Amino acid sequence: MQLALVAGAFGVTLAAARGRGPWAGWSCAAGGAWRGRTGLAALPVAAAGLVVALAAIGMAGLALWSVSFAWRWPDPWPQSLSLRAWRDVGRWSGAVGQTLLIAAVSTGLALVTAVAWLDSGDRVGRRGQGGWLRAVIHVPLLLPQLSFLIGLAGMMIHAPIGPLAAVIWGHWLFVFPYVMIALAGPWAALDPRLDRSAAALGAGPWRRLWRVKLPVLMAPVATAAAVGFAVSVAQYLPTLFLGGGRIATLTTEAVALSSGSDRRVAAVHAVLQAALPWGVFLAALALPAWAHRHRRALKGAA
């Protein structure tokens, strides 16, 4: 049933994008009605700002819950504050370590795979990036996670690998498509004259990759890594199914603690779950800017 719903929604979207069916005329008419209305163009920006504001309010509420000692209804503010939940490092340090390890390894593997894929496409004239092979990458994003992971979990029963390796592999399956989506556009927009000039000077394919392409694309690569890291941190079902409940991450612990009675501990895990991707995104913005601080043309290129 889930697969049928996803296939139907995907078919409607594809038909509308190609301008077929009854939705095509409606979308064209709606597009014509929007032309010339510059005020309406600000609606998506306002909606995005509203989402960011709601997320910030939610994060502030979680942070407040993590330090509240007694907060009874209907008091607008906690009666007392305490760092007891944060001081109990043993309750959340293990989940933080597992989360960092799984996210770092799966994102690193996804980056290596994506760069190898895109660079090999350059060497063969980008033939390897189109057709059915490119579509296969997005299969984990199109199929419902539950039905997809049940089959993977059954396969892992007979696989000679441990639960941690299985979880890393499962995270890689979902991180790799997002890394490819984030990196494929900037890679295709890279000026091919840079590569040709390096080749004319005698640089081989590997040297051109390490000394020309990757330094120029440092900001997009860092952004793709941050996206992949965030996707890995948020994975719940792959960790639960492929790890067999033996791998504890911030996401699995936050979900388990959300139904408990100690909201402070649950809030600590939720804050850490959100803080790790934010820190990586900030690093993805800061590191390329620092590395390219003496190169004006490369500053802020993402």
Side-chain angles (χ1 to χ4, degrees):
M1 180 63 70
Q2 288 181 336
L3 185 59
L5 290 174
V6 172
F10 185 72
V12 171
T13 304
L14 185 62
R18 294 187 175 182
R20 298 176 182 176
W23 289 99
W26 178 85
S27 61
C28 292
W34 274 66
R35 292 176 183 172
R37 301 184 181 182
T38 56
L40 295 178
L43 288 179
V45 178
L50 178 61
V51 171
V52 172
L54 291 176
I57 294 173
M59 280 299 302
L62 285 174
L64 185 58
W65 260 116
S66 68
V67 296
S68 63
F69 182 75
W71 195 352
R72 296 181 177 85
W73 174 265
D75 297 338
W77 190 259
Q79 295 179 358
S80 60
L81 302 178
S82 173
L83 294 175
R84 180 181 302 179
W86 288 98
R87 292 197 187 102
D88 193 2
V89 180
R91 299 193 65 174
W92 49 264
S93 59
V96 171
Q98 289 271 45
T99 302
L100 288 174
L101 175 63
I102 295 171
V105 174
S106 60
T107 303
L109 292 174
L111 269 179
V112 171
T113 309
V115 170
W117 179 293
L118 295 169
D119 189 59
S120 64
D122 288 345
R123 299 184 189 186
V124 298
R126 302 190 185 276
R127 292 191 299 269
Q129 299 184 28
W132 66 270
L133 195 59
R134 183 71 177 271
V136 169
I137 299 175
H138 301 88
V139 168
L141 305 183
L142 299 177
L143 294 178
Q145 270 198 4
L146 187 60
S147 57
F148 184 65
L149 288 170
I150 288 175
L152 291 181
M155 185 177 66
M156 286 294 104
I157 295 177
H158 306 285
I161 60 175
L164 181 60
V167 169
I168 291 174
W169 177 67
H171 280 219
W172 175 85
L173 287 176
F174 294 96
V175 170
F176 175 59
Y178 285 98
V179 172
M180 276 291 294
I181 292 172
L183 195 55
W187 194 285
L190 182 66
D191 192 347
R193 293 175 296 179
L194 297 174
D195 189 62
R196 295 171 189 167
S197 299
L201 293 173
W206 286 106
R207 191 176 183 185
R208 297 199 302 270
L209 173 64
W210 286 100
R211 301 299 297 272
V212 177
K213 294 180 181 178
L214 291 181
V216 173
L217 293 171
M218 182 183 294
V221 169
T223 302
V227 171
F229 187 91
V231 171
S232 177
V233 170
Q235 294 301 312
Y236 174 71
L237 290 179
T239 308
L240 191 64
F241 275 82
L242 300 179
R246 290 171 287 179
I247 303 298
T249 63
L250 287 173
T251 301
T252 59
E253 290 298 293
V255 174
L257 292 168
S258 63
S259 59
S261 59
D262 196 344
R263 295 184 180 179
R264 295 186 298 272
V265 179
V268 168
H269 285 75
V271 169
L272 290 172
Q273 182 190 11
L276 289 182
W278 273 108
V280 174
F281 271 106
L282 291 177
L285 293 174
L287 290 179
W290 179 82
H292 296 154
R293 64 190 183 279
H294 300 308
R295 300 176 181 180
R296 183 180 303 175
L298 295 178
K299 285 186 178 180

